[in-house]
Amino acid sequence: DIRMTQSPSSLSASVGDRVTITCRASQGISNSVAWYQQRPGRAPKLLLSAASRLESGVPSRFSGSGSGADYTLTISSLQPEDFATYYCQQFYTFPPTFGGGTEVEIK
Amino acid sequence: QVQLQESGPGLVKPSQPLSLTCTVSGASISSGGHYWTWIRQFPGKGLEWLGYVYYNGNTRYKPSPQSPISMSVDTSNNQFSLQLHDVTAADTAVYYCARGMVWSQTFDYWGQGIRVTVSS
């Protein structure tokens, strides 16, 4: 299975900050990465697929980039509703696997 | 609006089977185009894909699961199900059903999750 390693595991930030979360795969995954947001007590929500494709209804302050084995999720200006845990997921090979999550907390 | 809803027991004894059902509304399982998927989240927050069932009954499961897995689909009731056989405490988790894209294994709709505890 492909291992997905996220960093940092948690971070503290203020409203308006730019936040970047990194995901490194154990091998190249050819942009086959998705990002999810999970608020406490809720199911994960798909934000981006194919590394940089924003899902319908997701604010444009979210963006994704990367290539090979390294990918990033960026929130350009953190909003109060963005405090949550974020997960990356690869769908390059079977089985799909998830990163361990990055918790974004209020500073 | 597509909605998924899990149902089943919240507490299961070790070595017993676990059966969960997901009821889908706002979309038809029999229309094809999606993999109907089970994912679980452990208490430490890690997410694990368990497998999927297609509308025609085809399945694909996580290799070497901790407990044997089977999945089935009931298109007449727009439901799909997960069975874990011979559960252990390591199967304690929140179980989500989700809709997966056929062209990619990404998940655009999820149920609210059902918390399952394995304990005697």
Side-chain angles (χ1 to χ4, degrees):
Chain A
D1 297 4
I2 292 180
R3 177 185 291 270
M4 302 294 283
T5 303
Q6 282 184 241
S7 60
S9 57
S10 66
L11 63 91
S12 295
S14 300
V15 172
D17 283 352
R18 181 182 182 89
V19 168
T20 298
I21 297 167
T22 297
C23 188
R24 171 166 287 178
S26 56
Q27 65 180 73
I29 55 173
S30 191
N31 287 340
S32 299
V33 66
W35 290 95
Y36 298 83
Q37 176 194 66
Q38 186 177 34
R39 297 190 176 109
R42 305 288 296 274
K45 172 187 174 184
L46 180 62
L47 298 177
L48 298 102
S49 60
S52 60
R53 192 177 83 172
L54 211 61
E55 292 297 303
S56 175
V58 175
S60 59
R61 64 181 179 271
F62 290 92
S63 64
S65 64
S67 63
D70 296 315
Y71 297 88
T72 59
L73 171 70
T74 299
I75 310 172
S76 60
S77 177
L78 201 64
Q79 298 302 299
E81 60 269 30
D82 302 335
F83 291 95
T85 300
Y86 294 84
Y87 294 91
C88 59
Q89 177 228 327
Q90 68 81 20
F91 51 96
Y92 183 67
T93 62
F94 174 82
T97 49
F98 294 86
T102 296
E103 185 176 7
V104 178
E105 301 174 312
I106 300 173
K107 182 181 286 185
Chain B
Q1 175 72 344
V2 179
Q3 293 185 315
L4 294 85
Q5 177 71 59
E6 305 88 351
S7 58
L11 179 65
V12 182
K13 294 185 187 317
S15 79
Q16 296 298 302
L18 166 65
S19 182
L20 299 176
T21 295
C22 183
T23 301
V24 179
S25 58
S28 174
I29 289 176
S30 59
S31 65
H34 297 95
Y35 291 140
W36 301 95
T37 302
W38 290 95
I39 295 165
R40 65 183 176 182
Q41 186 166 35
F42 297 110
K45 303 299 185 184
L47 290 160
E48 180 178 67
W49 178 89
L50 292 174
Y52 66 71
V53 59
Y54 199 42
Y55 78 98
N56 60 3
N58 287 350
T59 56
R60 199 166 189 189
Y61 305 138
K62 174 181 169 60
S64 306
Q66 290 167 308
S67 300
I69 292 172
S70 58
M71 297 182 188
S72 58
V73 63
D74 177 358
T75 55
S76 62
N77 288 306
N78 221 31
Q79 295 176 328
F80 62 104
S81 297
L82 165 71
Q83 296 84 41
L84 288 184
H85 312 277
D86 192 21
V87 299
T88 71
D91 295 307
T92 293
V94 175
Y95 287 75
Y96 293 100
C97 57
R99 189 178 81 167
M101 309 292 194
V102 167
W103 65 271
S104 73
Q105 285 290 295
T106 58
F107 312 106
D108 60 347
Y109 289 97
W110 297 60
Q112 65 185 26
I114 183 168
R115 185 174 303 276
V116 176
T117 301
V118 179
S119 174
S120 55

